[in-house]
């Protein structure tokens, strides 16, 4: 079985995932909890939580990469849920590595690039300004689709049940922001977007979309943020020959 030193893997990921591009991110991106020195098996998950950590221990994972980490803007105290989570990691010597905004934006492995690729939408340009930096892309389908065809494509591809609100007859120019990205609806007119896809439903997006004649599709925060970590896992398998496994813990939200 192939292995790699933990510090070598961390330095590789910091550069490959372009962490320095998002130094303002509220998430403490990079190594959040240090485990054992040698990494043989990688785990990938969306959320850092006790369920995922226990599964990881059972699967003999020594290095876990997540999109939503444990440390957001600094830890205030290690008690309650936070204590239990960190204890689960330390007890099994698992390292925790978080990658938040860089993994939404990343042109190769990011959630949004992967969503476009998986849904056969050709990437056209950047989209979704968040704290002054685009974290996503908009793209064009090969041919005009109905909103129904588009949502069934999403549901089949991501294993989700999306909800949609129709304000336009066609789906062709699609703006995508994984997770809780409703704020980007404001950019729809600028890019001539007819359909906006994000994760979490937002009441606030409704009247804006109505007046801009833009379809709304909400495919789930979780479901739209699984593609990024999976792509990173595949890259590490190829690059270092490490074993890698995705730990699924869907929220349905
Ligand atoms: Zn998220």
């Amino acid at each position: 079985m192939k292995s790699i030193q933990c510090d070598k893997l961390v330095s590789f990921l910091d550069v490959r995932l372009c962490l320095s591009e998002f130094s303002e991110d509220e998430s403490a991106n990079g190594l959040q909890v240090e485990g054992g020195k040698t990494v043989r098996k990688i785990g990938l998950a969306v959320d850092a939580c006790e369920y995922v950590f226990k599964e990881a221990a059972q699967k003999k994972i020594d290095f876990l990469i997540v999109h939503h980490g444990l440390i957001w803007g600094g830890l205030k105290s290690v008690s309650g849920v936070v204590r239990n989570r960190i204890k689960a990691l330390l007890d099994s010597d698992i390292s925790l590595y978080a990658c938040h905004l860089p993994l939404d934006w990343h042109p190769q492995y990011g959630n949004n690039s992967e969503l476009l690729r998986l849904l056969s939408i050709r990437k056209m340009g950047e989209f979704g300004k968040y704290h002054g930096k685009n974290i996503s892309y908009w793209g064009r389908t090969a041919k005009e689709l109905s909103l129904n065809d588009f949502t069934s494509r999403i549901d089949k591809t991501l294993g989700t049940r999306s909800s949609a609100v129709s304000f336009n007859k066609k789906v062709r120019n699609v703006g995508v922001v994984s997770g809780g990205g409703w704020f980007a609806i404001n950019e729809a007119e600028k890019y001539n977007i007819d359909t906006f896809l994000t994760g979490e439903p937002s009441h606030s997006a409704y009247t804006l979309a109505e007046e801009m004649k833009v379809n709304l599709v909400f495919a789930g925060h979780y479901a739209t943020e699984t593609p990024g970590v999976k792509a990173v896992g595949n890259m590490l398998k190829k690059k270092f020959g490490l074993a890698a496994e995705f730990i699924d813990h869907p929220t349905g939200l």
Side-chain angles (χ1 to χ4, degrees), residues 32-44:
Q32 293 195 340
V33 177
E34 187 183 355
K37 293 222 176 315
T38 307
V39 176
R40 289 188 180 79
K41 190 173 179 188
I42 309 276
L44 296 315

Side-chain angles (χ1 to χ4, degrees), residues 112 115 127-128 135-137 175-181 183-184 196-199 224:
N112 292 307
L115 284 171
F127 178 72
I135 58 166
S136 187
Y137 307 89
V176 177
V177 179
S178 60
F183 57 88
F196 177 65
L197 165 63
T198 187
T224 56

Side-chain angles (χ1 to χ4, degrees), residues 23 36 68 101 126 181 238:
S23 48
H68 302 134
L101 293 182
E126 292 200 331
K238 268 190 221 145

